[in-house]
Short mmCIF file of all heavy atoms in Angstrom, two decimals:
data_model
loop_
_atom_site.label_atom_id
_atom_site.label_comp_id
_atom_site.label_asym_id
_atom_site.label_seq_id
_atom_site.Cartn_x
_atom_site.Cartn_y
_atom_site.Cartn_z
N GLY A 1 29.05 21.10 46.91
CA GLY A 1 28.40 21.47 48.14
C GLY A 1 27.11 22.25 47.92
O GLY A 1 26.38 22.52 48.84
N GLY A 2 26.80 22.63 46.67
CA GLY A 2 25.58 23.36 46.39
C GLY A 2 24.39 22.42 46.25
O GLY A 2 24.53 21.21 46.21
N VAL A 3 23.22 23.00 46.17
CA VAL A 3 22.00 22.22 46.02
C VAL A 3 21.20 22.80 44.88
O VAL A 3 21.11 24.01 44.73
CB VAL A 3 21.17 22.27 47.33
CG1 VAL A 3 19.83 21.59 47.14
CG2 VAL A 3 21.93 21.62 48.46
N LEU A 4 20.63 21.93 44.07
CA LEU A 4 19.77 22.35 42.98
C LEU A 4 18.40 21.75 43.26
O LEU A 4 18.29 20.55 43.50
CB LEU A 4 20.32 21.83 41.65
CG LEU A 4 19.54 22.16 40.41
CD1 LEU A 4 19.48 23.68 40.21
CD2 LEU A 4 20.17 21.51 39.21
N ALA A 5 17.36 22.57 43.30
CA ALA A 5 16.03 22.06 43.61
C ALA A 5 15.08 22.40 42.48
O ALA A 5 15.15 23.48 41.89
CB ALA A 5 15.53 22.67 44.91
N TYR A 6 14.18 21.47 42.14
CA TYR A 6 13.16 21.69 41.13
C TYR A 6 11.82 21.37 41.75
O TYR A 6 11.68 20.41 42.50
CB TYR A 6 13.38 20.79 39.91
CG TYR A 6 14.38 21.34 38.94
CD1 TYR A 6 15.71 20.98 39.03
CD2 TYR A 6 14.00 22.25 37.96
CE1 TYR A 6 16.64 21.49 38.16
CE2 TYR A 6 14.92 22.77 37.09
CZ TYR A 6 16.24 22.39 37.18
OH TYR A 6 17.15 22.90 36.31
N GLN A 7 10.82 22.21 41.42
CA GLN A 7 9.48 21.96 41.91
C GLN A 7 8.63 21.54 40.72
O GLN A 7 8.49 22.27 39.75
CB GLN A 7 8.90 23.23 42.54
CG GLN A 7 7.49 23.06 43.02
CD GLN A 7 6.97 24.32 43.70
OE1 GLN A 7 7.69 25.28 43.84
NE2 GLN A 7 5.72 24.28 44.10
N ALA A 8 8.07 20.36 40.81
CA ALA A 8 7.19 19.87 39.76
C ALA A 8 5.76 20.20 40.19
O ALA A 8 5.40 19.99 41.35
CB ALA A 8 7.36 18.38 39.57
N LEU A 9 4.96 20.70 39.28
CA LEU A 9 3.59 21.05 39.62
C LEU A 9 2.73 19.79 39.71
O LEU A 9 3.09 18.74 39.20
CB LEU A 9 3.02 22.00 38.56
CG LEU A 9 3.84 23.29 38.38
CD1 LEU A 9 3.29 24.10 37.24
CD2 LEU A 9 3.79 24.11 39.67
N THR A 10 1.58 19.89 40.37
CA THR A 10 0.71 18.73 40.54
C THR A 10 0.18 18.23 39.21
O THR A 10 -0.14 17.08 39.07
CB THR A 10 -0.46 19.06 41.48
OG1 THR A 10 -1.13 20.19 40.99
CG2 THR A 10 0.02 19.27 42.89
N SER A 11 0.10 19.08 38.23
CA SER A 11 -0.35 18.67 36.91
C SER A 11 0.82 18.82 35.94
O SER A 11 1.10 19.91 35.46
CB SER A 11 -1.52 19.56 36.47
OG SER A 11 -1.88 19.23 35.15
N PRO A 12 1.55 17.73 35.63
CA PRO A 12 2.75 17.83 34.82
C PRO A 12 2.51 18.43 33.44
O PRO A 12 3.38 19.03 32.86
CB PRO A 12 3.24 16.39 34.70
CG PRO A 12 2.45 15.59 35.65
CD PRO A 12 1.26 16.39 36.05
N ALA A 13 1.30 18.32 32.90
CA ALA A 13 1.03 18.83 31.56
C ALA A 13 0.85 20.35 31.56
O ALA A 13 0.96 20.98 30.52
CB ALA A 13 -0.23 18.17 31.00
N SER A 14 0.60 20.97 32.72
CA SER A 14 0.31 22.40 32.75
C SER A 14 1.53 23.26 32.50
O SER A 14 1.47 24.23 31.77
CB SER A 14 -0.36 22.78 34.06
OG SER A 14 0.53 22.53 35.13
N LYS A 15 2.70 22.94 33.14
CA LYS A 15 3.92 23.74 32.98
C LYS A 15 5.13 22.84 33.16
O LYS A 15 5.06 21.85 33.86
CB LYS A 15 3.99 24.84 34.04
CG LYS A 15 3.04 25.97 33.87
CD LYS A 15 3.34 27.04 34.90
CE LYS A 15 2.35 28.17 34.84
NZ LYS A 15 2.57 29.14 35.90
N PRO A 16 6.26 23.24 32.57
CA PRO A 16 7.48 22.47 32.83
C PRO A 16 7.97 22.73 34.26
O PRO A 16 7.53 23.67 34.90
CB PRO A 16 8.47 23.02 31.80
CG PRO A 16 7.94 24.35 31.41
CD PRO A 16 6.44 24.30 31.60
N ALA A 17 8.86 21.90 34.73
CA ALA A 17 9.42 22.05 36.08
C ALA A 17 10.09 23.41 36.22
O ALA A 17 10.70 23.92 35.30
CB ALA A 17 10.43 20.94 36.35
N THR A 18 9.97 24.00 37.41
CA THR A 18 10.49 25.32 37.68
C THR A 18 11.64 25.24 38.67
O THR A 18 11.50 24.63 39.73
CB THR A 18 9.38 26.20 38.31
OG1 THR A 18 8.22 26.10 37.52
CG2 THR A 18 9.83 27.63 38.46
N PRO A 19 12.81 25.88 38.34
CA PRO A 19 13.89 25.89 39.33
C PRO A 19 13.47 26.69 40.56
O PRO A 19 12.82 27.71 40.45
CB PRO A 19 15.04 26.58 38.61
CG PRO A 19 14.66 26.62 37.17
CD PRO A 19 13.18 26.50 37.10
N VAL A 20 13.85 26.22 41.73
CA VAL A 20 13.54 26.88 42.99
C VAL A 20 14.87 27.24 43.65
O VAL A 20 15.78 26.44 43.67
CB VAL A 20 12.73 25.94 43.91
CG1 VAL A 20 12.49 26.58 45.27
CG2 VAL A 20 11.44 25.54 43.25
N ALA A 21 14.97 28.46 44.17
CA ALA A 21 16.21 28.87 44.83
C ALA A 21 16.45 28.03 46.07
O ALA A 21 15.53 27.73 46.82
CB ALA A 21 16.12 30.34 45.22
N ALA A 22 17.71 27.63 46.25
CA ALA A 22 18.07 26.84 47.43
C ALA A 22 19.38 27.37 47.98
O ALA A 22 20.26 27.80 47.25
CB ALA A 22 18.21 25.38 47.06
N ALA A 23 19.50 27.34 49.30
CA ALA A 23 20.72 27.82 49.95
C ALA A 23 21.83 26.78 49.81
O ALA A 23 21.56 25.58 49.77
CB ALA A 23 20.44 28.07 51.42
N PRO A 24 23.10 27.22 49.71
CA PRO A 24 24.19 26.26 49.66
C PRO A 24 24.26 25.46 50.95
O PRO A 24 23.91 25.95 52.02
CB PRO A 24 25.44 27.12 49.49
CG PRO A 24 25.01 28.53 49.58
CD PRO A 24 23.52 28.59 49.66
N VAL A 25 24.70 24.25 50.82
CA VAL A 25 24.78 23.36 51.97
C VAL A 25 26.25 23.09 52.28
O VAL A 25 27.03 22.76 51.39
CB VAL A 25 24.07 22.02 51.68
CG1 VAL A 25 24.24 21.04 52.82
CG2 VAL A 25 22.60 22.27 51.39
N ALA A 26 26.62 23.25 53.54
CA ALA A 26 28.00 22.99 53.95
C ALA A 26 28.23 21.48 53.98
O ALA A 26 27.34 20.72 54.33
CB ALA A 26 28.26 23.58 55.34
N PRO A 27 29.44 21.04 53.60
CA PRO A 27 29.73 19.61 53.67
C PRO A 27 29.61 19.11 55.11
O PRO A 27 29.93 19.82 56.05
CB PRO A 27 31.18 19.50 53.19
CG PRO A 27 31.51 20.81 52.58
CD PRO A 27 30.54 21.81 53.10
N VAL A 28 29.15 17.89 55.26
CA VAL A 28 28.97 17.30 56.58
C VAL A 28 30.18 16.42 56.88
O VAL A 28 30.56 15.59 56.07
CB VAL A 28 27.68 16.45 56.63
CG1 VAL A 28 27.53 15.78 57.97
CG2 VAL A 28 26.48 17.32 56.31
N ALA A 29 30.79 16.64 58.04
CA ALA A 29 31.94 15.83 58.44
C ALA A 29 31.46 14.45 58.86
O ALA A 29 30.40 14.31 59.45
CB ALA A 29 32.67 16.50 59.59
N ALA A 30 32.26 13.46 58.54
CA ALA A 30 31.93 12.09 58.93
C ALA A 30 32.04 11.94 60.44
O ALA A 30 32.91 12.53 61.07
CB ALA A 30 32.86 11.10 58.24
N ALA A 31 31.16 11.16 61.00
CA ALA A 31 31.19 10.91 62.45
C ALA A 31 32.41 10.06 62.77
O ALA A 31 32.78 9.19 62.00
CB ALA A 31 29.93 10.18 62.89
N PRO A 32 33.07 10.31 63.89
CA PRO A 32 34.24 9.50 64.25
C PRO A 32 33.82 8.05 64.48
O PRO A 32 32.75 7.78 64.99
CB PRO A 32 34.75 10.14 65.54
CG PRO A 32 33.64 10.99 66.04
CD PRO A 32 32.76 11.32 64.88
N VAL A 33 34.69 7.16 64.06
CA VAL A 33 34.43 5.73 64.22
C VAL A 33 35.12 5.26 65.49
O VAL A 33 36.30 5.51 65.69
CB VAL A 33 34.96 4.95 63.01
CG1 VAL A 33 34.78 3.45 63.19
CG2 VAL A 33 34.30 5.43 61.73
N ALA A 34 34.37 4.60 66.34
CA ALA A 34 34.94 4.10 67.59
C ALA A 34 35.93 2.97 67.29
O ALA A 34 35.65 2.11 66.48
CB ALA A 34 33.84 3.60 68.50
N LYS A 35 37.08 3.02 67.94
CA LYS A 35 38.07 1.97 67.77
C LYS A 35 37.65 0.76 68.59
O LYS A 35 37.21 0.90 69.73
CB LYS A 35 39.45 2.44 68.26
CG LYS A 35 40.13 3.42 67.36
CD LYS A 35 41.44 3.85 67.96
CE LYS A 35 42.57 3.09 67.33
NZ LYS A 35 43.88 3.53 67.82
N PRO A 36 37.76 -0.42 68.00
CA PRO A 36 37.45 -1.60 68.80
C PRO A 36 38.47 -1.76 69.92
O PRO A 36 39.59 -1.28 69.82
CB PRO A 36 37.55 -2.75 67.79
CG PRO A 36 38.35 -2.23 66.66
CD PRO A 36 38.19 -0.73 66.66
#
């Protein structure tokens, strides 16, 4: 349920990708399926 985010800079040669803090995401319940 967590999220991992990385920010890549516009110039990939300048710096490696940097981890960015992200808030945890709650699981999403499936929408009910209408019975035929």
Side-chain angles (χ1 to χ4, degrees):
V3 173
L4 179 62
Y6 277 93
Q7 178 178 357
L9 303 174
T10 55
S11 175
S14 63
K15 288 186 184 176
T18 310
V20 176
V25 176
V28 177
V33 177
K35 287 177 99 176

